[in-house]
Amino acid sequence: MKRQLFLLLLTCASSHAQVTNVSSTSQTGVDVTHYAAASNYTLYSGNPSEWGNLGQGGYVDFPISSAGGSYALQLYYSNGGSSGAANVYVNGVQQPAALTSGTGGWGTFSLSAATSVTLPVGTSTLRLAATNPVQAFNLAGVLFGPSNPLSKTSFYVSPSSQAAENISQSCSNGASLSTIASQPQGVWFGDWNSNPQADAAYVVKLAQNQGTVPIVVAYDIVNRDCGGGSSGGAANAAAYQAWIQGLALGLGNSKAVVILEPDALSQLNVQGCLSSAQQNERLSLFQYAISMFTQHAPNALVYLDAGHSGAIDVNTMAANLQYAGISNATGFALNVSNYETTGDNTTYGQQISSLVNNKHFIIDTSRNGQGPTADHQFCNPPNRGLGSVSTGFASGVVDADLWVQNPGTSDGTCNGGPPAGTFSLPIACTLIQNAKF
């Protein structure tokens, strides 16, 4: 991985180029031997060449050019083992600092966590400067990448979530439902929304009043849940097309995260669930839905549900996503309403991403704080906990951890739970008690 990164940093800028053209769609390496000015920082040739001996007030400038917008910036650096930071400026305007963790030695190089920088259209000057007090590090490269679409996003907190509507109830373990009710989570739309356009427009308005982005779950596919605990959905393809068009029209030009049809692609491969004709119809309905959001909700970020790390092999799921039209969507979603760990889903998602043109994905972390049970129960497993709260990331193929499911919602009449979709106080209180943020 480090060798590939080093080659990228060396080859993305020509040895004769003085200005690096930063791409808005792929990663761009900046050759650190090209600079406009430097002070209290010395360039050493080698393999790799690097800037060292950073002193008080030290900086190095790099000329860059871009189409403008937000980008993810990372440093390829080494240090003596102590954590620090580099101040980042674009044309003199300070950006969020680039944090540098300890690498364990001056000969050991690492890639910093991404920080977000805003670049103007055209040529500008990137300055990396010493902090005060100085945190020394050697700089061997600079890497720009597209900023993820959910970076720095504030997500919508619904006043009508399951927990919010039951906020007056008390947990016997002392937990407070406000722990759930105060957090952004999915707003689910299904066959209970007879007027999805009006209902979506209402949610959009509330989100705009908050200055937030709603997490919208479209859950009305024909033959939903293969007759299981969440069965239902649109009566036929025509009804679904009308419903999904209404949902898209309701979102309009507002930014929204859309999770498209949980379980629907996973169940393509469940024996006895759908006939061959029904499988083809389902895939065509995914394609239709994506086209409706593209046409009527152009700022919606559409993620096709792709099951979870314990469900279907990556090759099969990647093929399902391709047939469903992933090329025209933002990406895919994992672990919706499930309990598998974030780490396992990240690995699974990275494998799928490599097979679908590096599409990004989100992970539902609403109930995976304790991971799955030993036997990977999916229906109201005991002693589970809340996972990391809804957060967008600046870079990488994981766009966000999101609470897609509403914690406290029952998975069905199993393990003592009420019907699927019904709020359960004992389940909610246990999730809070075992939370792992």
Side-chain angles (χ1 to χ4, degrees), residues 358-434:
N358 299 315
K359 285 289 185 177
H360 289 202
F361 58 97
I362 64 93
I363 299 172
D364 183 356
T365 54
S366 59
R367 306 187 296 182
N368 75 345
Q370 296 296 327
T373 57
D375 56 353
H376 294 265
Q377 294 182 40
F378 68 91
C379 191
N380 298 330
N383 301 318
R384 299 306 92 198
L386 301 172
S388 56
V389 298
S390 297
T391 305
F393 304 122
S395 66
V397 293
V398 183
D399 284 346
D401 289 344
L402 298 178
W403 281 16
V404 179
Q405 181 55 285
N406 303 144
T409 301
S410 174
D411 297 320
T413 54
C414 47
N415 286 329
T422 305
F423 182 77
S424 167
L425 182 64
I427 291 174
C429 296
T430 299
L431 289 171
I432 298 168
Q433 184 178 38
N434 296 326

Side-chain angles (χ1 to χ4, degrees), residues 191 219-235 282:
D191 42 358
Y219 194 51
D220 196 41
I221 199 73
V222 180
N223 297 310
R224 189 179 65 207
D225 202 28
C226 294
S230 297
S231 61
R282 177 163 293 189

